[in-house]
């Protein structure tokens, strides 16, 4: 997996997170508060700027009550 | 999520990875080669020593042909 692949995965992942968070009616601030992280961290994950950890992924999936696999459903380009 | 929770998640995640990798008949070295990472990184993930990234998780799930959610199936303690 090269850096371009990683960037593309992070952007798709972040877009999925944003969509699923909004579908649950949560603001970035509300999700950040539930996780106990800074709102800027949620923003950076959703913009694909940071490659978050599996424990943060797990915490997000619990907070949104969404299976972790849903964040990795990417459209074929 | 406190540090104890994180540690517990990482250990369970790592145990699942080891089990699923072995079920696919792959050594740590073979998986490391498929991912283009050091064998020590696979070992550290399986021992719950490092909190790996979502792009590495995604690459592992593709290499093992296993849904990402399977790594997060934890027994209730």
């Amino acid at each position: 997996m090269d850096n371009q692949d990683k960037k593309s995965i992070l952007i798709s992942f972040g877009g999925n997170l944003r969509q699923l968070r909004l579908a649950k009616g949560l603001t970035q601030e509300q999700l950040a508060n539930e996780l106990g992280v800074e709102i800027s961290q949620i923003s950076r994950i959703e913009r694909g700027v940071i490659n978050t950890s599996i424990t943060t992924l797990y915490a997000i999936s619990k907070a949104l009550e969404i299976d972790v696999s849903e964040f990795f459903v990417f459209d074929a380009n």
Side-chain angles (χ1 to χ4, degrees), chain A:
Chain A
M1 185 160 55
D2 65 22
N3 281 336
Q4 197 50 47
D5 291 337
K6 280 191 191 173
K7 188 70 198 160
S8 154
I9 289 164
L10 293 180
I11 285 174
S12 299
F13 177 93
N16 287 348
L17 170 55
R18 180 184 300 266
Q19 227 168 4
L20 293 163
R21 172 181 58 74
L22 291 172
K24 293 282 176 172
L26 287 186
T27 64
Q28 287 187 336
E29 188 172 10
Q30 288 169 322
L31 179 57
N33 288 343
E34 279 216 46
L35 300 180
V37 302
E38 297 292 320
I39 183 172
S40 60
Q41 195 185 339
I42 303 298
S43 170
R44 286 197 298 262
I45 296 170
E46 291 190 353
R47 285 180 288 123
V49 175
I50 53 172
N51 195 353
T52 198
S53 65
I54 55 170
T55 56
T56 298
L57 167 65
Y58 184 72
I60 290 171
S61 81
K62 289 293 170 193
L64 296 181
E65 297 175 319
I66 285 171
D67 193 282
V68 290
S69 61
E70 289 205 43
F71 299 103
F72 293 95
V73 176
F74 305 145
D75 293 336
N77 294 317

